[in-house]
Amino acid sequence: MAGLCLTVLFVIVTTSYSLEVSDKETNLPSIESRFPYSLSMLTVNPCCYYPCQHKGVCVRFEMDKYLCDCTRTGYYGTNCTIPEWWTKFREFLRPSPAFYHYILTRFKWFWDIINSTFIRDVIVRLVLTVRSNLIPSPPTYNSAYGYISWEAYSNVSYFTRVLPPVPDDCPTPMGTKGKMELPDASLLVETFLKREKFIPDPQGTNLLFAFFAQHFTHQFFKTYGRMGRGFIKGFGHGVDLSHIYGDSLERQHMLRLFTDGKLKYQIINGDIYPPTVVEAPVFMIYPDNVPKEKQFAVGQEVFGLLPGLMMYATLWLREHNRVCDILKKEHPTWDDEQLFQTTRLILIGETIKIVIEDYVQHLSGYYLKLKFDPELLFGVQFQYRNRIAVEFNQLYHWHPLIPEKFQILEDEYSHSRFLYNTSILLDYGVEALVESFTKQIAGKIGGGKNHHPGLLKVAAGVIEESRKLRLQPFNEYRKRFGLKAYKSFKDLTGEEIMSAQLEELYGDIDALEFYLGLLLEKSNPNSIFGESMVEIGAPFSLKGLMGNPICSPEYWKPSTFGGETGFNIVKTATIQKLVCLNVKQCPFVAFHVPDDVLPKLKKSDEL
Ligand SMILES: *[C@@H]1O[C@H](CO)[C@@H](O)[C@H](O)[C@H]1NC(C)=O
Ligand SMILES: *[C@@H]1O[C@H](CO)[C@@H](O)[C@H](O)[C@H]1NC(C)=O
Ligand SMILES: *[C@@H]1O[C@H](CO)[C@@H](O)[C@H](O)[C@H]1NC(C)=O
Ligand SMILES: *[C@@H]1O[C@H](CO)[C@@H](O)[C@H](O)[C@H]1NC(C)=O
């Protein structure tokens, strides 16, 4: 048996390395003479050219040689560029992302028919598997390890990453292309990202969506400042609801009531709100002038920042305690711990359901009705694990969503009056906030020039982080996710002015940085952002959602959720129900502005 295994292994190893170690081309003396590296003794690390295509792995040999490992890429040759015959066939049949985006966002009548047939399941399964397969699982690199290693695999304090860092000894910051120094980050955000006039999202995304995005993603995007960029705080790496329950057992225990599985709460004007830090002594970030009696205590320490985040924290707190009551009625023998733990799993399920069927559904603009049904993946190969990637964190900085002012009922709030204002939630209540945030349109994310001036430093921080972590160029990520590299800045932005400025600052489209590329790419027609944000973001997102253990065959059954009642709460969750089961009067709830607001906006834009 062992002998057979070894033979098989040997065959695999020898066949996959049937590629010559190629001498590096000699037609590149300019960089070496311009920039002699004493360390590498006048030779450029050949992996700095990103020679390996189609997910091939570059390994350096001797000083100036490299080898592309093309194993299971479907390609062969020095740089993994020659397709095997079936790859040719598959590539021939594969529609371009632009093509299927076009189909999925048009022909509503067609998708209405598909919706009620089994074909819907087939397509949703295809979307889930094709997207998830782009994410390496188990995870591969991190910011300290540009090669497969046990440390990178096992040390979950790191964000993972899909592409290894730019090698340290490359001649330019982005590899071999572009200038010796990258443009100043604050100049970049001033030039390309600063808002001149608020640009509303053509898809009608509202602030209820914007705050949901921020609230939801802050359970897994928690950069651990103290350990440096590239490290994550908390070990959930996905939808663990640590933003509700805290990212440590200690914090969780502070927030729990230890009766009937419930979380601590306070009642104000007859409504349930999170406790204060006096009652639940956990660390929360608030300015010094906010007294402890006014500081809310919730799972995520940053949620005091915006009333919209605390509004969601309140809704989920109410939902948790509501579900506890339901479970307690069916299971009078269960102790506090079991009620708490089972409720947490139900809320994880509700979250994933809402994110796929309400949130991603809205964002995609697809007429295909998405479906959260883990059973769709039971027949295919799928790993129920997830590791949050640096690239996903970078990509998810969607601050252009934030408007100039916040409109709550008849009142207008500037950023400075809104931030850290603890009385807004209590004075207006959850209903009024939901209603107001649903009606107010959010900003368009893609296309540039839509950051509120106060948020430019956040964007500059993203760019600076990507430099510290040595993220590869935007075009390398395009290729990694099955897209064509852009040939010029004009090709990227689809216009003249910004592309000329970019050309001057970067010198080469292949040296453009990841985040700026995502934000400045021309948008899809009538869409919130461009192709790359969708094609790179969706795989991370869907893998993170479906890779949750509750979606695995072992967990996805009624008993996990305390029986059919709990299972049904998961299977029927919507954003509408999350709000309306937890407030007294049900407002209009959606992730887009009401239809009568959108046409008005479009008209006023045309005028
Ligand atoms: C492989 O890639 C390198 C670096 O991009 C390039 O110089 C070389 O010509 C390529 N070789 C082949 C055989 O395509
Ligand atoms: C799609 O089909 C499901 C049942 O298969 C139904 O509940 C839902 O209302 C349909 N949606 C649309 C938009 O037709
Ligand atoms: C993970 O790596 C960091 C940096 O090397 C180190 O400080 C930390 O102790 C490691 N964590 C574990 C659990 O080994
Ligand atoms: C905070 O919000 C309240 C309304 O709830 C408002 O009256 C007050 O002016 C705001 N505080 C600041 C500092 O702007």
Side-chain angles (χ1 to χ4, degrees), residues 200 217 226 379 478:
T217 57
R226 200 160 9 121
R478 293 261 311 163

mmCIF file with all atom_site columns, all heavy atoms in Angstrom, residues 200 217 226 379 478:
data_model
loop_
_atom_site.group_PDB
_atom_site.id
_atom_site.type_symbol
_atom_site.label_atom_id
_atom_site.label_alt_id
_atom_site.label_comp_id
_atom_site.label_asym_id
_atom_site.label_entity_id
_atom_site.label_seq_id
_atom_site.pdbx_PDB_ins_code
_atom_site.Cartn_x
_atom_site.Cartn_y
_atom_site.Cartn_z
_atom_site.occupancy
_atom_site.B_iso_or_equiv
_atom_site.pdbx_formal_charge
_atom_site.auth_seq_id
_atom_site.auth_comp_id
_atom_site.auth_asym_id
_atom_site.auth_atom_id
_atom_site.pdbx_PDB_model_num
ATOM 1  N N   . PRO A 1 200 ? -24.764 59.751 -6.326  1.00 0.00 ? 200 PRO A N   1
ATOM 2  C CA  . PRO A 1 200 ? -25.615 58.685 -5.776  1.00 0.00 ? 200 PRO A CA  1
ATOM 3  C C   . PRO A 1 200 ? -25.403 57.374 -6.523  1.00 0.00 ? 200 PRO A C   1
ATOM 4  O O   . PRO A 1 200 ? -25.040 57.368 -7.699  1.00 0.00 ? 200 PRO A O   1
ATOM 5  C CB  . PRO A 1 200 ? -27.038 59.216 -5.999  1.00 0.00 ? 200 PRO A CB  1
ATOM 6  C CG  . PRO A 1 200 ? -26.917 60.166 -7.138  1.00 0.00 ? 200 PRO A CG  1
ATOM 7  C CD  . PRO A 1 200 ? -25.533 60.736 -7.102  1.00 0.00 ? 200 PRO A CD  1
ATOM 8  N N   . THR A 1 217 ? -19.281 43.286 8.388   1.00 0.00 ? 217 THR A N   1
ATOM 9  C CA  . THR A 1 217 ? -17.887 42.955 8.063   1.00 0.00 ? 217 THR A CA  1
ATOM 10 C C   . THR A 1 217 ? -16.952 43.180 9.249   1.00 0.00 ? 217 THR A C   1
ATOM 11 O O   . THR A 1 217 ? -15.864 42.628 9.270   1.00 0.00 ? 217 THR A O   1
ATOM 12 C CB  . THR A 1 217 ? -17.355 43.782 6.876   1.00 0.00 ? 217 THR A CB  1
ATOM 13 O OG1 . THR A 1 217 ? -17.483 45.165 7.184   1.00 0.00 ? 217 THR A OG1 1
ATOM 14 C CG2 . THR A 1 217 ? -18.112 43.472 5.609   1.00 0.00 ? 217 THR A CG2 1
ATOM 15 N N   . ARG A 1 226 ? -1.778  46.313 17.276  1.00 0.00 ? 226 ARG A N   1
ATOM 16 C CA  . ARG A 1 226 ? -0.642  46.148 18.160  1.00 0.00 ? 226 ARG A CA  1
ATOM 17 C C   . ARG A 1 226 ? 0.389   45.176 17.568  1.00 0.00 ? 226 ARG A C   1
ATOM 18 O O   . ARG A 1 226 ? 1.574   45.293 17.797  1.00 0.00 ? 226 ARG A O   1
ATOM 19 C CB  . ARG A 1 226 ? -1.129  45.648 19.517  1.00 0.00 ? 226 ARG A CB  1
ATOM 20 C CG  . ARG A 1 226 ? -0.129  45.900 20.601  1.00 0.00 ? 226 ARG A CG  1
ATOM 21 C CD  . ARG A 1 226 ? -0.707  45.886 22.027  1.00 0.00 ? 226 ARG A CD  1
ATOM 22 N NE  . ARG A 1 226 ? -2.062  45.454 22.179  1.00 0.00 ? 226 ARG A NE  1
ATOM 23 C CZ  . ARG A 1 226 ? -2.412  44.402 22.951  1.00 0.00 ? 226 ARG A CZ  1
ATOM 24 N NH1 . ARG A 1 226 ? -1.495  43.688 23.548  1.00 0.00 ? 226 ARG A NH1 1
ATOM 25 N NH2 . ARG A 1 226 ? -3.679  44.101 23.107  1.00 0.00 ? 226 ARG A NH2 1
ATOM 26 N N   . GLY A 1 379 ? -23.298 17.666 -2.972  1.00 0.00 ? 379 GLY A N   1
ATOM 27 C CA  . GLY A 1 379 ? -22.829 16.699 -3.956  1.00 0.00 ? 379 GLY A CA  1
ATOM 28 C C   . GLY A 1 379 ? -21.488 17.050 -4.586  1.00 0.00 ? 379 GLY A C   1
ATOM 29 O O   . GLY A 1 379 ? -20.952 16.288 -5.387  1.00 0.00 ? 379 GLY A O   1
ATOM 30 N N   . ARG A 1 478 ? -6.138  40.809 -11.353 1.00 0.00 ? 478 ARG A N   1
ATOM 31 C CA  . ARG A 1 478 ? -7.099  40.584 -12.439 1.00 0.00 ? 478 ARG A CA  1
ATOM 32 C C   . ARG A 1 478 ? -6.871  39.198 -13.035 1.00 0.00 ? 478 ARG A C   1
ATOM 33 O O   . ARG A 1 478 ? -7.796  38.412 -13.192 1.00 0.00 ? 478 ARG A O   1
ATOM 34 C CB  . ARG A 1 478 ? -6.894  41.629 -13.556 1.00 0.00 ? 478 ARG A CB  1
ATOM 35 C CG  . ARG A 1 478 ? -7.228  43.057 -13.171 1.00 0.00 ? 478 ARG A CG  1
ATOM 36 C CD  . ARG A 1 478 ? -8.587  43.506 -13.633 1.00 0.00 ? 478 ARG A CD  1
ATOM 37 N NE  . ARG A 1 478 ? -8.897  43.232 -15.025 1.00 0.00 ? 478 ARG A NE  1
ATOM 38 C CZ  . ARG A 1 478 ? -10.140 43.251 -15.507 1.00 0.00 ? 478 ARG A CZ  1
ATOM 39 N NH1 . ARG A 1 478 ? -11.164 43.511 -14.711 1.00 0.00 ? 478 ARG A NH1 1
ATOM 40 N NH2 . ARG A 1 478 ? -10.384 43.000 -16.782 1.00 0.00 ? 478 ARG A NH2 1
#
